[in-house]
Amino acid sequence: FLRCTYSSVISEGLQIILQTTLSKMSAGLTRRPPPDGNRKSAALLAILITCSTANAALGFVASLRSSSRIAPRAAVPNGGPLSGATEFLRGLLPAPSGDADAARRGDLKYSLLSLVGERGADRSDVEGLIGEIAPLSPCPDPSRSPLIRKEWVLRWTTEKEINFFIDWNISDDVTQTISYDGGAETEGRLGNDISFARGGSLSVGGGITPNKKNPLRTDFEFSEASLDLGRWGKYEVPPVGKGWFDTVYLDDELRVDLNSRNDILICTLRE
């Protein structure tokens, strides 16, 4: 009986003290100017620890009640009366660095794709965003990654030969397909396809190999090309092109390349 009464007094006393303390702290925060980022984080962390400690104490009190012969008047609901405040304050604390990087990546991807979606996007602005997103690439070895072995849709490029077809409305569908039959060290296939709006296409294909010294770099050499003019026939043309491209950013939906001709290619995954 004494243990049950003692625990009841402690429980009610703790709740009154903590509620009063939090109320005063809240009132104080509204009267004072907002602290800088570090002081704010420290203050929130201190409050979070206080709430967690209070919940633990109240949980201990609840265990004393349940072990007594007299039934408790009320159980501690949902982890304690301050559990909601604890979760709220936890959400205000700075996110772990991994989450921060993912959020930053998402913002930069959106900004980059929005920029290149505008007609006449300036190269210097695009390069600025690439410089920010490249260090956040989640793939450290893109030339050997399975992520790169897919069909990609070109969203923006500085290559004049491709932009000729786009600017003159000859094509609005340019794709690049990368595939490997064996392991990452074997020679793969690169296929570029420019589909014409009125039928037909220009296709160029060749071999690719991951560079042995640079994990970002893929070496390529075109070996075949064909021009499909629809009802006017299909013709084989001499392939032209040999060089490399560095994939400076790669994830499961975006790829950014810089190549040996100092051109930029920004691609998204074919859905």
Side-chain angles (χ1 to χ4, degrees):
F1 173 79
L2 289 176
R3 181 169 58 182
C4 181
T5 303
Y6 180 65
S7 64
S8 299
V9 172
I10 292 176
S11 176
E12 294 177 2
L14 278 173
Q15 293 185 52
I16 293 171
I17 291 170
L18 287 170
Q19 289 172 0
T20 302
T21 301
L22 288 175
S23 176
K24 289 183 178 180
M25 291 178 70
S26 177
L29 287 174
T30 59
R31 289 195 299 268
R32 297 170 189 167
D36 58 37
N38 292 335
R39 292 177 59 192
K40 183 178 180 180
S41 297
L44 289 172
L45 182 60
I47 298 173
L48 177 60
I49 293 173
T50 301
C51 291
S52 299
T53 304
N55 279 329
L58 293 175
F60 172 72
V61 170
S63 67
L64 288 178
R65 286 179 173 177
S66 61
S67 63
S68 67
R69 294 182 180 180
I70 300 178
R73 290 181 296 174
V76 180
N78 299 323
L82 297 176
S83 59
T86 301
E87 292 305 315
F88 171 74
L89 292 170
R90 195 188 307 279
L92 295 179
L93 291 173
S97 60
D99 293 343
D101 287 348
R104 180 63 176 157
R105 258 197 312 270
D107 291 342
L108 288 171
K109 285 168 61 175
Y110 177 81
S111 298
L112 180 60
L113 292 175
S114 296
L115 176 61
V116 301
E118 301 174 0
R119 196 166 185 84
D122 186 74
R123 173 168 180 156
S124 61
D125 293 335
V126 174
E127 287 178 331
L129 286 174
I130 291 175
E132 291 187 65
I133 198 173
L136 299 176
S137 177
C139 184
D141 192 4
S143 65
R144 292 171 174 79
S145 172
L147 290 176
I148 204 171
R149 306 175 192 182
K150 297 173 182 178
E151 183 179 7
W152 299 91
V153 179
L154 181 68
R155 298 301 180 189
W156 190 84
T157 185
T158 56
E159 288 195 11
K160 295 179 180 179
E161 296 84 352
I162 295 178
N163 284 329
F164 168 81
F165 292 96
I166 297 173
D167 292 341
W168 286 87
N169 296 320
I170 300 172
S171 174
D172 61 358
D173 184 17
V174 181
T175 64
Q176 185 175 82
T177 303
I178 296 176
S179 61
Y180 284 86
D181 293 332
E185 300 297 335
T186 63
E187 182 174 318
R189 291 283 302 169
L190 173 68
N192 295 338
D193 187 81
I194 302 175
S195 298
F196 301 153
R198 297 186 178 183
S201 64
L202 173 63
S203 301
V204 181
I208 54 173
T209 307
N211 189 278
K212 294 181 179 180
K213 296 181 179 180
N214 186 345
L216 304 181
R217 182 162 298 178
T218 300
D219 300 311
F220 69 87
E221 182 173 4
F222 292 124
S223 57
E224 58 190 45
S226 64
L227 178 62
D228 184 356
L229 296 178
R231 61 181 178 175
W232 289 285
K234 186 175 182 179
Y235 306 91
E236 300 299 319
V237 295
V240 177
K242 178 181 180 180
W244 50 261
F245 58 86
D246 288 346
T247 304
V248 297
Y249 183 90
L250 178 66
D251 62 21
D252 57 358
E253 56 186 8
L254 176 65
R255 175 178 147 224
V256 179
D257 290 347
L258 308 178
N259 65 28
S260 50
R261 296 176 56 188
N262 195 33
D263 281 317
I264 302 171
L265 288 88
I266 298 176
C267 307
T268 56
L269 184 66
R270 169 73 88 184
E271 296 179 356

